[in-house]
Amino acid sequence: MAAAVLVLGLQAIAAPRSSEQEAVPRDALTLVRQALAALEVSPPDVDVATERVIKALFAPDTRGVDMPRVRDAAQALGSEDATAGAAYLMQALRPAEAGPTRLDPSLFTPLPPRATSGSEAYGLLGLAALLVAAGSLIVRR
């Protein structure tokens, strides 16, 4: 009885590991996007990016990815150059029909939050207060 409980416990512990391994995508496009995302954090996670780029090199589905640029990114990441690696990965995601034009790196940079002016913020705050007051009147009736 105790042996059966031990075996079931070990199976439960081992099961999440196999599901984590299956969760890794098999297409190069997703892997390259994940590698680029790992390089966009501060500080860049070069180890995760390198792992994803290597998996992308061996991915069976390479549609939508310029694989020579991925190889260049792997070399740059191997020498711990996150900036060059990110540049190569952005080039690898360029659509084939775009031709020799370069991608604008600002397209991959998130926009800073927009600051509202004082009068606009007070107007929104007043509108929200009116909506809360109207809602409380409706609920009380």
Side-chain angles (χ1 to χ4, degrees):
M1 177 75 169
V5 171
L6 180 63
V7 169
L8 288 175
L10 290 175
Q11 286 177 350
I13 292 172
R17 289 184 185 164
S18 63
S19 66
E20 287 175 7
Q21 291 173 353
E22 293 171 6
V24 176
R26 296 180 47 93
D27 62 309
L29 183 63
T30 304
L31 289 164
V32 168
R33 287 179 179 167
Q34 289 177 350
L36 191 56
L39 293 175
E40 293 296 322
V41 297
S42 180
D45 195 348
V46 178
D47 294 335
V48 171
T50 304
E51 173 193 347
R52 296 300 178 177
V53 167
I54 290 171
K55 287 182 180 182
L57 288 173
F58 293 104
D61 182 11
T62 60
R63 289 177 291 171
V65 179
D66 186 8
M67 293 309 288
R69 293 303 103 186
V70 176
R71 282 187 213 97
D72 294 339
Q75 289 177 349
L77 292 172
S79 63
E80 300 290 323
D81 189 358
T83 306
Y88 284 129
L89 290 175
M90 284 190 280
Q91 291 173 5
L93 292 177
R94 182 179 63 223
E97 63 272 359
T101 61
R102 285 184 45 104
L103 280 179
D104 185 10
S106 66
L107 295 175
F108 293 98
T109 306
L111 294 174
R114 186 175 67 96
T116 59
S117 64
S119 60
E120 183 181 342
Y122 286 126
L124 289 174
L125 184 60
L127 180 63
L130 287 174
L131 288 173
V132 168
S136 65
L137 287 175
I138 292 171
V139 169
R140 289 186 186 192
R141 288 186 181 191

